[in-house]
Amino acid sequence: MSANRMEAAVRPLTAQCADIANFYFMDGPYAIDASDQLAKTLGAPIFSDSKKWNQDSQPCSLGGFSKQLQEFVDKQVPGPVDVVFGYSQGGIVLGCVLSETRHIAPQFQSIRGVGWFHSRLNANGQIGTDLHALKSFHVIGQKDPIMKPEGSESVAKLFKKPVIVRHDVAHWPFVDALVVKGCRGFLKSLHKDYAQSPTFGELASK
């Protein structure tokens, strides 16, 4: 899926949060073709602009596209980045963002909240205990055949005060009223506690 298609597809959620947050969508760095195993498993259509976040046989690493990540923030995001959400493969990459501090874009030092939608960590995507105080939001699909709920639960357990939404939707959570309500509540709480919420940069420097 491309960033533009993703933005359109998740509009049921972002439209309900538009008064409290601006959302920006980035393309993954790798093209998808008809041989892609995940696309086959999902039965997902492949378009000329379809992208993915990691190579099937490669370990999770930001080294290959840290420059692309920084350029996106520089050009597309007017101001500090407060929250980063990751869905499916994007959530695996989010784990890398939090674990590979040497590659992180300077603008991401301002992150105060993180969220995983039907996702998990890669085997080598370890989040240091110093970052477990970040505010976190987790959507766990208890009947998701692609991203098993056990992986999503393991991410939530890392954080000190995770906000968790569990539901019975398969792999596409963004039209579920429970998810929309939970995401809005998470963002509102971040607004309320903004000054008291530690940033990535503050926690990583300790």
Side-chain angles (χ1 to χ4, degrees), residues 72-95:
F72 173 80
V73 176
D74 282 340
K75 295 177 181 179
Q76 303 296 329
V77 183
V81 178
D82 296 311
V83 181
V84 178
F85 288 146
Y87 162 64
S88 196
Q89 276 194 347
I92 296 174
V93 172
L94 173 55

Side-chain angles (χ1 to χ4, degrees), residues 27-150:
D27 275 319
Y30 304 110
I32 299 176
D33 59 29
S35 66
D36 185 78
Q37 189 57 51
L38 181 59
K40 288 180 179 179
T41 301
L42 291 173
I46 298 173
F47 302 96
S48 59
D49 60 351
S50 293
K51 298 292 181 64
K52 61 182 178 180
W53 285 101
N54 62 314
Q55 299 282 40
D56 296 335
S57 60
Q58 299 299 317
C60 182
S61 175
L62 282 182
F65 63 93
S66 59
K67 183 179 179 181
Q68 179 183 347
L69 179 66
Q70 185 162 347
E71 288 177 349
F72 173 80
V73 176
D74 282 340
K75 295 177 181 179
Q76 303 296 329
V77 183
V81 178
D82 296 311
V83 181
V84 178
F85 288 146
Y87 162 64
S88 196
Q89 276 194 347
I92 296 174
V93 172
L94 173 55
C96 294
V97 169
L98 298 180
S99 63
E100 297 194 24
T101 55
R102 67 187 183 280
H103 290 308
I104 195 167
Q107 301 89 332
F108 276 29
Q109 300 292 327
S110 59
I111 293 172
R112 296 173 189 268
V114 289
W116 282 262
F117 291 75
H118 288 229
S119 193
R120 58 175 174 79
L121 297 183
N122 191 281
N124 65 329
Q126 304 301 317
I127 299 173
T129 56
D130 52 342
L131 300 180
H132 293 180
L134 284 170
K135 288 185 174 294
S136 68
F137 179 63
H138 308 265
V139 178
I140 299 172
Q142 294 176 309
K143 294 183 179 180
D144 189 341
I146 305 300
M147 289 289 180
K148 302 294 186 182
E150 294 81 6

